[in-house]
Amino acid sequence: MNNPVLINTKLSEAKGKPRVWIEGAHIQSAGIEPGQVLKVKFLEEDGVVEAFPSEESCDYDHEIRVSKRTTRQGRVRPLLEIRHDKLLELFGQDAQLRVVVRDGKIVIRLHHIDNKALERVERLASKLENGEPLSIGSLFAGGGTLDNAFHEGITCAGVATSTTIVNEIDKHFMSGFVENNKHLFDEQTLFVNAPIETIDTSRSCQLDIVLAGIPCTGASLSGRAKGKLKHAESHETAGALFYSFLQFVQCTNPSVVLVENVPQYENTASYSVIVSVLETLGYNVNDTVLSGDDFGALEARKRLFMVATSKGIPEIDFDLLEKPAKEYLTAKDALDYFPGDSDAWRTFPYLDEAEVKAKAKGNGFKRSYVTQDSVTTPTIKRTNHKCQTDGVFIQHPTDSTLSRLPTATEHARFKSVPVSLIEGLSSTQACEVLGQGIIGNVAKSVAQGIGMQCLNPMRTKLSQAA
């Protein structure tokens, strides 16, 4: 009785022709013997290549003889290669292949990973050709700052989109997202207010684009210090979220994946796994760290952006991103008006004392100040509303002993985020949404880059072919 054998291999090249090469004792156990002559049939409609014993009477396109390799120990093992131009036509350059050997017969087809890559690119191409909106899945959506900026940017590139699924665990953030981003949705949009780990990915629909602002609590410097974490993955709530994110991507099979996070995330095991898995699934991964002040924003916040595009889609070049001019030349242009004698201006003696103690301990925590003449602002965290020793404050224009917290609208302007996105939120909720959100101009430029560099060339190619 022969043992069935499954082999994963790649389409290679030999002597200027595409080839499939297999050898070893395992194929002998499946009925392949040295000296055998096999007939080869290319089933183009099915995308399959079959090789079978020459004794079988049927049409065939090619014929091969099984060779042998003798090991140093004197053992003889079969080896065979199929070299033919049809292989390239059927499977494509460097294709991953699934080879099944059973009872002396060989069946070769495209590996399921490459098959899924082909499926998603064909789906994307069909939508671009017909002018249909691309479907978006948004994970860890927060208050929608990334989604809104992405929509603006990709619309500027002439690409229509519609949000198919939104996932956010916090009910307040989800509520604000839905109320302030109605232009992103249609009657089919599904809102999932639940932990991503609880989503039944086996029932997920197929998407074209996935956006993910994976929580950085365990990766950021403050998060690592506060939680006394050895590594980001040990964070009790955020550490393993990358696993659920990858499950979602694998099931929804998007053509484009966008991830944003703190720069430190690039050095985590989580990120290494994300990149490795996406590359295995047939994506080309590009990443960079972008700063808000390079894209016309006041807040000089740096964020890691990763764009993964499926094989068959042009890759993004971050150096070609459009960099908008500044809307606010100095902080004064973005500040709300407060009279000099307003009660909002005050002293913070307890913070002065805490800062002295922190300095004595050598931990370096101290407040940062924004003046009217500031051309950039420090990063404002999601907990800035708590008046912390490392918080950001607005300096009184004439009295250096007085300061105040930034308002939610000022915070939004510093980040080049539309004030409308925090409408209806409390000051605390607005600070959290903005503090863990993106710089609007940066995300908008990345989205426009995806549209112009990755998607529009596909559309142009399709129209030329037609």
Side-chain angles (χ1 to χ4, degrees), residues 239-420:
L241 293 179
F242 73 95
Y243 173 75
S244 298
F245 156 74
L246 286 171
Q247 278 190 312
F248 185 87
V249 169
Q250 194 162 7
C251 290
T252 56
N253 201 29
S255 292
V256 179
V257 180
L258 170 63
V259 172
E260 64 86 21
N261 215 304
V262 294
Q264 295 83 5
Y265 195 67
E266 191 173 14
N267 300 318
T268 63
S270 307
Y271 188 68
S272 295
V273 172
I274 287 173
V275 172
S276 177
V277 170
L278 288 177
E279 289 177 341
T280 299
L281 294 177
Y283 293 89
N284 295 312
V285 179
N286 292 278
D287 58 29
T288 192
V289 173
L290 301 174
S291 181
D293 57 330
D294 290 331
F295 287 80
L298 281 170
E299 187 172 300
R301 186 184 203 187
K302 291 179 168 58
R303 296 292 278 190
L304 169 69
F305 279 83
M306 183 214 78
V307 175
T309 48
S310 180
K311 289 194 300 185
I313 300 174
E315 300 178 50
I316 192 169
D317 184 345
F318 290 105
D319 291 334
L320 300 180
L321 295 183
E322 183 176 317
K323 295 184 177 181
K326 278 194 171 185
E327 181 179 357
Y328 307 108
L329 296 180
T330 65
K332 181 181 179 180
D333 301 324
L335 293 175
D336 295 328
Y337 174 70
F338 284 84
D341 59 355
S342 169
D343 292 340
W345 303 109
R346 60 194 181 96
T347 60
F348 295 88
Y350 65 96
L351 290 180
D352 295 334
E353 184 180 344
E355 192 171 311
V356 171
K357 291 181 179 178
K359 186 176 181 180
K361 290 180 179 179
N363 61 22
F365 287 132
K366 63 179 182 179
R367 282 165 286 175
S368 299
Y369 294 94
V370 177
T371 70
Q372 293 193 348
D373 297 328
S374 297
V375 293
T376 61
T377 69
T379 298
I380 301 177
K381 300 188 302 181
R382 66 186 182 89
T383 55
N384 200 70
H385 61 278
K386 294 181 179 180
C387 294
Q388 298 167 312
T389 53
D390 60 346
V392 176
F393 293 77
I394 309 298
Q395 184 80 62
H396 190 283
T398 59
D399 187 347
S400 61
T401 65
L402 300 176
S403 61
R404 63 175 176 82
L405 287 174
T407 65
T409 53
E410 291 169 338
H411 191 174
R413 294 186 196 114
F414 293 167
K415 279 188 163 70
S416 63
V417 170
V419 173
S420 60

Side-chain angles (χ1 to χ4, degrees), residues 186-255:
D186 59 29
E187 63 277 5
Q188 301 299 321
T189 304
L190 173 65
F191 301 104
V192 182
N193 181 205
I196 188 175
E197 306 96 310
T198 64
I199 296 177
D200 183 4
T201 51
S202 66
R203 303 179 64 182
S204 297
C205 58
Q206 300 293 278
L207 300 170
D208 300 306
I209 301 170
V210 166
L211 310 178
I214 302 174
C216 61
T217 319
S220 66
L221 294 177
S222 59
R224 294 277 295 274
K226 183 177 179 181
K228 298 179 180 179
L229 305 176
K230 290 184 178 180
H231 45 76
E233 293 72 29
S234 60
H235 191 277
E236 61 181 357
T237 57
L241 293 179
F242 73 95
Y243 173 75
S244 298
F245 156 74
L246 286 171
Q247 278 190 312
F248 185 87
V249 169
Q250 194 162 7
C251 290
T252 56
N253 201 29
S255 292

Side-chain angles (χ1 to χ4, degrees), residues 77-91:
R77 292 173 178 170
L79 67 87
L80 64 89
E81 65 171 344
I82 302 173
R83 284 195 300 123
H84 203 282
D85 291 332
K86 281 286 185 184
L87 293 170
L88 187 60
E89 293 178 28
L90 275 172
F91 302 126

